[in-house]
């Protein structure tokens, strides 16, 4: 039995290079064509990274309505590896109004480049000797973001034809300061720019750089029909806000939003992080006059176009995934395997469950690829293993509504349990996964009430088809989004998994049948067929890429700090 496990495990070997630094990427576009004479595009940029020959989505910007030259406030944060050729792809999409997903979006163009650095260290020759020559050639000759700091290229449409639109990517290396600041602003008596209603104000904050250029730090939401808006609080790193320089000038502008994208300028003011933090520490209310320079020059009695107040300024320590792991947080890994009849008779070599003496099937490949990584973060390495959709002996009834599991030791134990049960069960149906999500969620709920960062739950679901209890599954995921839990779904086989994308929050906001949105994105769906010609390491990297951020987002949002190592060691119970 173990030879299959070892065969699958052996394909997982890959070298992980140490990350030298983190890089912020800012994106802006120019010259995007209008949809027609009456409407402008609603652009969004998707960042993808190439790994093992496959493109994977890393993140995406917000959608900016009615804009042909958008400057996105979303900042991409990527790890930079000196010795790797890191290929990036920026895709521009026009998102139809009322839909944030890419399914119905129009593709407007793409730009590919590398995240590299031509400037070599003093011992570059020694490093060169260990380089693959082809990689080094690409390393030097490709478009370099980090080395150029600012890269502007034409967006290529289908067929690699260049259009009139272009994209500008600006890179900045982060310094060592990883503190975050939480800010909240409001305004009073802003100028009314609309004839039949009040202004719809939003606030933009720019950092003034050493060379005099400005970098967009944050853009608030628009508060409709209100001259005294209160904008939502937001968090931003000190690196992003002021490059760690507390005296760096911050330029703040207030606009009246217009649906045609031609926003009306209300006014501006300047401040610094030092000024805001000093006022907060002294408990003083600080406000700025919002000035329109044109009005100031033309109108004799002009005072201001309103005032903007700082409501809140607080330093927040944002903990990393490693902080929580070092503090004793355990990853509780659970696996659920689809035993519905659509997989085919396991005795037939065409079945997705067919056990070849030496070659693992797709279920085993996905299980080992993901489980091998997760088990290293689980101290007892005892994994609950579920099966669903099968007729179970001795009465051969489906037990989907009350799922049961076996607890096995390590990934090899899961593999052996999977192989042992196949001859004893009858594949049947339906493909219901909501009960399993609810079962794991009940354990995660118990952990949530401890208010400690000690256990985070990951549920891996391997299935060959679209689930049949979609409504119940959406409800279960929305509930689970409030818990320390993530769900990974791997689609096995060649079925059409288009409808499964709705569960992945990357493509719009998942809502329950009652309309309740997920609190946070906890689902990652990946079709295994996209990785048939890639190594299992590529699959593992794709499905687990979002987990560290999901762990951090949950605990930081709850205000739960990681235990320090000494506290964790003193609280552990050791078995003889």
């Amino acid at each position: 039995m173990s030879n299959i496990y070892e065969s699958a495990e052996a394909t997982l070997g890959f070298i992980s290079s140490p990350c030298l630094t983190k890089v912020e990427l800012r994106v802006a576009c120019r010259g995007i064509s209008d949809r027609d004479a009456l409407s402008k595009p609603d652009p969004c940029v998707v960042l993808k990274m190439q790994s093992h020959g496959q493109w994977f989505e890393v993140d995406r910007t917000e959608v900016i309505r009615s804009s042909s030259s958008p400057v996105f406030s979303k900042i991409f944060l990527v790890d930079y590896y000196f010795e790797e050729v890191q290929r990036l792809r920026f895709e521009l999409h026009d998102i139809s109004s009322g839909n944030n997903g890419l399914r119905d979006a129009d593709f407007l163009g793409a730009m590919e480049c590398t995240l590299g650095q031509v400037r070599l260290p003093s011992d570059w020759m020694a490093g060169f000797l260990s380089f693959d020559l082809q990689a080094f050639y690409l390393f030097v000759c490709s478009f370099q973001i980090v080395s150029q700091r600012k890269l502007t290229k034409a967006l290529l449409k289908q067929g690699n034809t260049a259009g009139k639109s272009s994209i500008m990517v600006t890179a900045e290396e982060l310094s060592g300061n990883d503190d975050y600041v939480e800010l909240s602003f409001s305004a009073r008596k802003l100028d009314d720019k609309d004839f039949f209603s009040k202004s719809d104000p939003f606030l933009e904050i720019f950092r003034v750089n050493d060379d005099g250029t400005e970098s967009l730090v944050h853009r608030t939401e628009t508060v409709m029909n209100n001259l005294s808006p209160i904008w939502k609080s937001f968090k931003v790193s000190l690196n992003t806000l002021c490059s760690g320089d507390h005296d760096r000038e911050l330029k703040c502008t207030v606009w009246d939003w217009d649906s045609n994208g031609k926003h009306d300028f209300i006014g501006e003011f300047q401040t610094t992080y030092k000024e805001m933090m000093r006022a907060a520490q002294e408990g003083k209310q600080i406000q700025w006059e919002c000035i329109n320079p044109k009005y100031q020059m033309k109108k004799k009695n002009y005072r201001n176009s309103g005032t903007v107040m700082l409501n809140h300024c607080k330093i927040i320590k944002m903990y990393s995934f490693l902080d929580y792991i070092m503090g004793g947080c355990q990853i509780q890994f659970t696996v659920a395997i689809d035993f519905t009849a659509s997989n085919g008779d396991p005795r037939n070599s065409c079945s997705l469950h067919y056990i070849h003496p030496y070659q693992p099937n797709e279920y085993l490949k996905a299980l080992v690829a993901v489980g091998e990584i997760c088990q290293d973060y689980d101290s007892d390495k005892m994994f609950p293993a579920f099966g669903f959709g099968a007729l179970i002996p001795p009465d051969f009834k489906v037990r989907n509504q009350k799922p049961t599991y076996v607890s096995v030791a390590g990934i090899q134990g899961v593999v052996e349990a999977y192989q042992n049960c196949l001859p004893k069960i009858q594949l049947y149906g339906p493909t219901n996964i909501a009960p399993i999500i609810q079962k794991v969620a009940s354990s995660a709920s118990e952990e949530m009430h401890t208010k400690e960062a000690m256990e985070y739950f990951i549920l891996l679901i391997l299935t060959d088809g679209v689930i049949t209890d979609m409504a119940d599954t959406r409800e279960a995921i929305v509930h689970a989004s409030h818990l320390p839990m993530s769900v990974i779904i791997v689609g096995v086989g060649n079925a059409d998994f288009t409808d499964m994308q709705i569960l992945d929050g990357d493509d719009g906001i998942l809502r329950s049948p009652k309309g309740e949105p997920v609190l946070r994105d906890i689902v990652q769906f990946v079709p295994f067929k996209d990785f048939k010609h890639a190594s299992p390491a590529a699959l593992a990297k794709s499905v687990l890429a979002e987990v560290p951020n999901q762990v951090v987002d949950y605990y930081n949002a709850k205000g739960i700090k990681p235990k320090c190592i000494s506290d964790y060691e003193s609280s552990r119970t050791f078995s003889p």
Side-chain angles (χ1 to χ4, degrees):
M1 294 293 183
S2 62
N3 60 342
I4 296 179
Y5 168 77
E6 292 168 357
S7 173
E9 182 183 16
T11 64
L12 292 178
F14 63 100
I15 300 174
S16 58
S17 306
C19 172
L20 280 184
T21 187
K22 291 185 179 293
V23 176
E24 287 185 341
L25 302 179
R26 291 177 169 83
V27 182
C29 297
R30 295 288 184 271
I32 305 175
S33 300
D34 294 345
R35 291 177 183 167
D36 49 53
L38 299 178
S39 61
K40 293 182 179 295
D42 299 331
C44 170
V45 172
V46 177
L47 171 62
K48 295 184 176 181
M49 185 171 289
Q50 191 177 70
S51 177
H52 302 275
Q54 301 287 326
W55 288 107
F56 307 109
E57 179 175 340
V58 175
D59 208 343
R60 63 180 65 175
T61 68
E62 74 277 16
V63 178
I64 297 182
R65 300 298 177 189
S66 301
S67 179
S68 56
S69 296
V71 178
F72 298 97
S73 64
K74 171 70 177 182
I75 298 173
F76 296 127
L77 184 63
V78 296
D79 292 334
Y80 168 63
Y81 301 89
F82 172 78
E83 66 276 26
E84 293 185 14
V85 178
Q86 294 172 264
R87 297 189 176 281
L88 305 178
R89 177 179 172 88
F90 296 86
E91 294 182 356
L92 179 65
H93 297 267
D94 180 11
I95 309 295
S96 57
S97 183
N99 175 31
N100 286 329
L102 296 181
R103 186 181 304 179
D104 301 321
D106 294 326
F107 174 75
L108 300 181
M111 185 271 284
E112 294 181 14
C113 60
T114 64
L115 179 68
Q117 185 176 9
V118 174
R119 296 189 305 272
L120 300 175
S122 57
D123 58 346
W124 71 274
M125 181 58 74
F128 170 76
L129 295 177
S130 65
F131 272 73
D132 176 88
L133 289 178
Q134 182 180 6
F136 185 77
Y137 175 79
L138 292 170
F139 175 75
V140 173
C141 296
S142 300
F143 295 115
Q144 310 298 324
I145 294 179
V146 173
S147 62
Q148 297 185 21
R149 301 296 177 186
K150 184 180 295 184
L151 174 66
T152 301
K153 292 293 296 180
L155 287 164
L156 301 182
K157 297 182 178 181
Q158 301 287 0
N160 289 330
T161 58
K164 296 181 180 179
S165 57
S166 62
I167 185 170
M168 181 176 69
V169 182
T170 306
E172 180 179 359
E173 180 183 349
L174 294 186
S175 62
N177 192 334
D178 59 354
D179 284 339
Y180 276 67
V181 60
E182 184 176 65
L183 298 169
S184 173
F185 295 91
S186 62
R188 185 169 57 239
K189 296 182 179 180
L190 295 175
D191 285 353
D192 193 352
K193 296 291 185 177
D194 297 333
F195 289 108
F196 302 107
S197 62
K198 298 177 182 178
S199 294
D200 308 315
F202 65 91
L203 172 68
E204 290 183 329
I205 301 175
F206 292 86
R207 183 190 69 211
V208 179
N209 301 314
D210 293 337
D211 60 0
T213 60
E214 299 172 358
S215 297
L216 179 61
V217 170
H218 182 75
R219 180 186 293 119
T220 69
E221 77 283 5
T222 299
V223 178
M224 305 299 290
N225 196 32
N226 195 327
L227 300 181
S228 297
I230 300 175
W231 292 291
K232 293 179 181 178
S233 63
F234 61 93
K235 299 182 183 70
V236 62
S237 73
L238 285 182
N239 280 313
T240 301
L241 180 66
C242 60
S243 300
D245 179 1
H246 295 186
D247 292 312
R248 184 177 296 276
E249 180 182 338
L250 304 175
K251 180 180 177 181
C252 306
T253 58
V254 182
W255 299 85
D256 169 35
W257 179 86
D258 283 331
S259 59
N260 62 5
K262 297 179 180 179
H263 311 309
D264 298 316
F265 177 70
I266 294 178
E268 64 185 18
F269 63 94
Q270 289 76 35
T271 185
T272 63
Y273 168 71
K274 184 176 182 179
E275 180 185 31
M276 293 189 292
M277 181 51 69
R278 181 189 295 132
Q281 291 173 343
E282 296 175 357
K284 295 180 179 178
Q285 173 75 55
I286 184 173
Q287 63 182 33
W288 303 270
E289 289 187 322
C290 193
I291 302 298
N292 187 321
K294 290 185 179 180
Y295 290 176
Q296 193 175 40
M297 292 178 63
K298 293 180 179 180
K299 298 181 179 181
K300 291 183 179 180
N301 297 325
Y302 176 79
R303 295 184 59 187
N304 57 56
S305 295
T307 56
V308 176
M309 288 77 67
L310 175 67
N311 298 333
H312 181 72
C313 180
K314 179 182 178 182
I315 283 290
I316 296 177
K317 172 65 176 178
M318 300 292 284
Y319 297 97
S320 69
F321 177 67
L322 187 59
D323 288 331
Y324 287 104
I325 295 301
M326 294 293 289
C329 183
Q330 299 288 306
I331 299 297
Q332 299 297 330
F333 181 67
T334 301
V335 62
I337 299 178
D338 183 343
F339 289 117
T340 55
S342 56
N343 285 279
D345 188 342
R347 295 169 295 183
N348 189 316
S349 60
C350 295
S351 170
L352 293 171
H353 282 304
Y354 179 69
I355 302 298
H356 190 279
Y358 302 106
Q359 180 64 37
N361 61 35
E362 291 186 7
Y363 278 97
L364 283 171
K365 288 179 181 178
L367 169 63
V368 174
V370 179
E372 270 295 301
I373 294 176
C374 289
Q375 74 174 358
D376 287 339
Y377 299 94
D378 188 336
S379 59
D380 65 6
K381 293 182 172 51
M382 296 298 295
F383 301 143
F386 290 87
F388 59 92
L391 298 178
I392 308 297
D395 53 2
F396 286 93
K397 291 182 179 180
V398 177
R399 297 186 175 89
N400 276 349
Q401 296 307 314
K402 293 184 178 180
T404 57
Y405 64 89
V406 294
S407 186
V408 294
I411 294 303
Q412 185 171 359
V414 179
V415 170
E416 292 175 351
Y418 164 73
Q419 293 173 317
N420 290 335
C421 77
L422 278 174
K424 303 174 184 177
I425 61 175
Q426 180 180 338
L427 274 59
Y428 195 65
T431 310
N432 291 346
I433 66 172
I436 295 175
I437 296 176
Q438 293 164 353
K439 182 76 173 180
V440 177
S442 65
S443 298
S445 181
E446 294 177 6
E447 167 65 15
M448 180 185 69
H449 293 305
T450 66
K451 297 182 179 180
E452 291 185 346
M454 294 307 296
E455 290 184 327
Y456 190 92
F457 294 79
I458 294 179
L459 170 60
L460 171 64
I461 300 174
L462 307 175
T463 179
D464 82 317
V466 176
I467 58 178
T468 53
D469 61 342
M470 181 64 77
D472 290 341
T473 297
R474 286 163 53 198
E475 185 77 41
I477 290 173
V478 169
H479 171 69
S481 69
H482 294 259
L483 305 173
M485 177 177 171
S486 294
V487 180
I488 298 169
I489 304 175
V490 178
V492 177
N494 296 315
D496 182 5
F497 292 106
T498 302
D499 290 341
M500 295 286 275
Q501 299 290 351
I502 192 175
L503 300 178
D504 193 328
D506 288 344
D507 205 26
I509 299 176
L510 176 68
R511 297 180 182 272
S512 72
K514 298 177 183 178
E516 181 185 357
V518 290
L519 181 65
R520 58 193 184 92
D521 179 16
I522 65 166
V523 176
Q524 175 78 339
F525 172 76
V526 175
F528 187 87
K529 60 186 177 183
D530 290 353
F531 297 85
K532 274 191 172 182
H533 304 294
S535 73
L539 172 66
K541 185 173 183 178
S542 177
V543 300
L544 293 174
E546 296 183 7
V547 168
N549 284 337
Q550 289 171 351
V551 172
V552 169
D553 289 347
Y554 172 79
Y555 288 122
N556 279 327
K558 293 287 185 180
I560 299 176
K561 299 178 181 180
K563 284 190 172 184
C564 66
I565 296 178
S566 59
D567 291 341
Y568 165 59
E569 293 293 343
S570 63
S571 65
R572 291 180 64 186
T573 55
F574 293 89
S575 301

